[in-house]
Amino acid sequence: MKHYYNPMSRAVTTDWMLKELDVQHEQIIIDFDSGENDFPEFRKINPMGKVPVLVDNEKVITEVAAICAYLADRFPAKRLAPEIESPDRATYYRYLFFAGNTIEPALSLAVSGIEHPEPRSAGWGDMLRVLTAIEAMTPETGWALGKQFTAVDVVFGGLLDSSMAFNMIDASPKVANYVTRIRQRPAYRETHAAFQDISG
Ligand SMILES: N[C@@H](CCC(=O)N[C@@H](CS)C(=O)NCC(=O)O)C(=O)O
């Protein structure tokens, strides 16, 4: 399994997922400064020229949430996904897609000081709605699906963590406490050395 990675990128989240699962992999560092993500051989693997990328059995997987969900299903004994028949699967998918489809674009626009002119047609609505949904979806205790830590906490929790570290959100006490629990996980700590300087 090959993991295309850069230590100051979203690939830290997939690296954390690999560490949670204790999966052996080849770590291939993509150096943005020398434009390695624009090299034709990398663009052939991911035409977006972005990391993370996971290659497993010659199959390419891109997008943080897709990689984490794939890995959770690939190593079911580690129980980082609810079983396929479990009713929790509904909530699981909801969080996985909410992170990339809704939180990410809303935050990207907000930090650039841009407001979408038509929140009703923008899939993410607006920042107020997104923050209200984050507050409602953040668990008071434990993890997003309850007692079981899952890939959702890596994806959704990881995004809240980096959003706080880069001052993109003003976290409520509930969100801050959840992120504190995230930051205490040994696999998180092992994979977020560069971020710990930022987040403290
Ligand atoms: N939607 C993608 C976003 C990936 C992404 O934006 N990666 C950034 C680093 S955090 C990147 O590779 N940027 C290099 C570029 O766009 O040139 C995902 O979830 O994986």
Side-chain angles (χ1 to χ4, degrees):
M1 202 176 275
K2 289 183 182 169
H3 183 229
Y4 293 83
Y5 161 90
N6 178 289
M8 283 305 287
S9 79
R10 290 168 174 85
V12 169
T13 305
T14 44
D15 198 38
W16 169 27
M17 183 71 189
L18 286 159
K19 186 64 76 180
E20 289 281 354
L21 292 163
D22 202 15
V23 173
Q24 293 300 314
H25 59 280
E26 184 186 346
Q27 193 86 301
I28 301 167
I29 296 177
I30 296 296
D31 182 7
F32 293 136
D33 291 338
S34 49
E36 283 179 358
N37 58 317
D38 284 327
F39 287 3
E41 53 272 30
F42 185 71
R43 288 272 169 158
K44 219 195 263 175
I45 299 167
N46 183 9
M48 286 293 289
K50 285 183 177 285
V51 294
V53 177
L54 188 77
V55 181
D56 186 28
N57 293 323
E58 293 174 29
K59 291 289 176 201
V60 174
I61 308 129
T62 60
E63 301 298 321
V64 168
I67 293 171
C68 291
Y70 173 83
L71 284 169
D73 288 345
R74 175 92 160 70
F75 300 97
K78 298 286 168 69
R79 301 184 40 80
L80 287 191
E83 282 168 18
I84 195 82
E85 306 82 9
S86 163
D88 281 345
R89 201 79 185 185
T91 315
Y92 179 74
Y93 287 128
R94 183 181 175 207
Y95 276 84
L96 287 177
F97 286 89
F98 180 59
N101 287 0
T102 306
I103 304 177
E104 278 242 14
L107 283 178
S108 294
L109 285 192
V111 294
S112 306
I114 302 169
E115 270 180 44
H116 193 283
E118 269 292 338
R120 281 204 306 186
S121 60
W124 56 93
D126 54 43
M127 204 53 207
L128 179 61
R129 290 194 227 184
V130 171
L131 289 174
T132 306
I134 288 174
E135 185 63 23
M137 290 170 75
T138 297
E140 205 73 69
T141 57
W143 308 112
L145 300 191
K147 287 197 182 119
Q148 187 186 357
F149 178 89
T150 66
V152 151
D153 298 296
V154 176
V155 174
F156 172 75
L159 183 53
L160 297 184
D161 163 52
S162 58
S163 306
M164 276 181 70
F166 290 104
N167 296 316
M168 295 162 94
I169 57 168
D170 201 5
S172 70
K174 185 167 76 156
V175 172
N177 285 338
Y178 174 55
V179 168
T180 299
R181 295 195 292 281
I182 293 279
R183 289 178 181 167
Q184 284 165 348
R185 291 192 70 84
Y188 171 97
R189 299 183 76 81
E190 278 185 60
T191 48
H192 284 66
F195 283 83
Q196 271 160 34
D197 298 338
I198 302 166
S199 54

